[in-house]
Amino acid sequence: MTPDRPVLVLGPSLGTTAATCWGPVVDLLADEFDVVAWDLPGHGADRRPAPDDLTIADLAQRVVDAVAERHDGPFLYAGDSVGGQVGLQLLLDHPDRVLGAVLCCTGARIGTAQSWADRAAQVRASGTASLVSATAERWFAPGFLERSPSVGAALLHALRDTGTEGYTAVCGALARFDVRDRLAEVQRPVVAVAGAHDAVCPPEALREIADGVRDGRLVVLEDVAHQAPAEAPQEVARIVRDLAREVAQ
């Protein structure tokens, strides 16, 4: 790694890969940061088995271990949806490692245990391909698939190709995650990024994070739903740059 560039760790959303979720942002930031992107179990390049009792804390520890193989100092973090929840867990469990975080389209809690159990049951019965049609409506703001068909298609293909066991294990981790009562413990700077059209994690969920942590602010992006890094890469890259400058002062 190049020591004079800050390290940026990127976490993807459920059913995507780091490349499809964050690729457009990486293209904009690759010359400014040493980027470490990771995949969820059963997603993309990570085909390791995932235990049924997988937790967000387990995922956070995987991230710390992966970063330690390349870099032993602190890093910036950015994550979308469950990747954002991993960021919250890192801020709670490893505050000495995380300089600050950009948390996109996420929540201190997302959905309910029953909603995630239902999602997992559908995937066990019919595979991740059965989610593609409904997910296309949930992930993207109106008109995005027409404006950026290749970006949207890559994300939906990643969902279709995600392994059943990995997907359902992450559903279980999402079902068990709730740190609403611990947000005040987070002392590092946090930028909570909401999509104005996000029905999964609406702006109110990101406001809860921004208001709950010690040093947080909310940014709401228009024409964005649940995949802010892919839908608005220029804006998200700018937010990451701004946070990097802030923590460097």
Side-chain angles (χ1 to χ4, degrees):
M1 292 189 119
T2 306
D4 59 348
R5 290 191 296 173
V7 176
L8 174 63
V9 180
L10 300 175
S13 61
L14 177 63
T16 76
T17 65
T20 55
C21 183
W22 284 96
V25 174
V26 173
D27 290 342
L28 296 168
L29 297 178
D31 292 338
E32 304 165 54
F33 295 85
D34 279 318
V35 176
V36 180
W38 58 275
D39 282 327
L40 292 158
H43 296 59
D46 190 340
R47 294 293 162 169
R48 291 175 292 174
D52 290 339
D53 60 351
L54 181 75
T55 66
I56 300 297
D58 294 333
L59 294 173
Q61 187 60 54
R62 287 190 183 206
V63 172
V64 169
D65 293 343
V67 175
E69 294 177 3
R70 299 174 55 183
H71 176 73
D72 60 3
F75 53 84
L76 287 170
Y77 184 87
D80 189 83
S81 195
V82 67
Q85 292 191 325
V86 172
L88 281 172
Q89 193 73 57
L90 286 166
L91 289 160
L92 290 167
D93 291 351
H94 304 278
D96 56 322
R97 298 301 308 278
V98 186
L99 295 168
V102 176
L103 306 180
C104 301
C105 307
T106 190
R109 179 189 182 193
I110 301 175
T112 65
Q114 187 60 52
S115 68
W116 291 116
D118 293 344
R119 178 84 63 83
Q122 178 180 347
V123 170
R124 290 190 188 98
S126 304
T128 52
S130 68
L131 303 175
V132 169
S133 179
T135 297
E137 298 180 7
R138 187 168 60 242
W139 272 0
F140 308 119
F144 175 76
L145 289 175
E146 290 73 27
R147 294 191 302 272
S148 302
S150 62
V151 175
L155 283 160
L156 294 171
H157 289 161
L159 172 61
R160 181 199 61 196
D161 295 339
T162 297
T164 296
E165 291 184 2
Y167 190 98
T168 57
V170 178
C171 284
L174 281 155
R176 289 183 283 273
F177 186 78
D178 185 351
V179 294
R180 289 174 294 179
D181 62 349
R182 298 190 62 194
L183 290 173
E185 299 175 36
V186 175
Q187 299 191 29
R188 297 291 191 177
V190 170
V191 185
V193 180
H197 295 274
D198 191 352
V200 181
C201 297
E204 292 78 11
L206 281 301
R207 184 178 297 281
E208 180 178 41
I209 293 174
D211 291 346
V213 301
R214 299 285 184 90
D215 182 5
R217 65 185 179 93
L218 172 69
V219 177
V220 180
L221 300 178
E222 302 300 326
D223 298 321
V224 168
H226 195 58
Q227 296 291 339
E231 293 179 272
Q234 294 279 356
E235 291 88 340
V236 172
R238 174 184 54 77
I239 292 165
V240 171
R241 288 190 192 100
D242 289 347
L243 180 62
R245 284 193 290 266
E246 177 185 340
V247 301
Q249 292 177 353

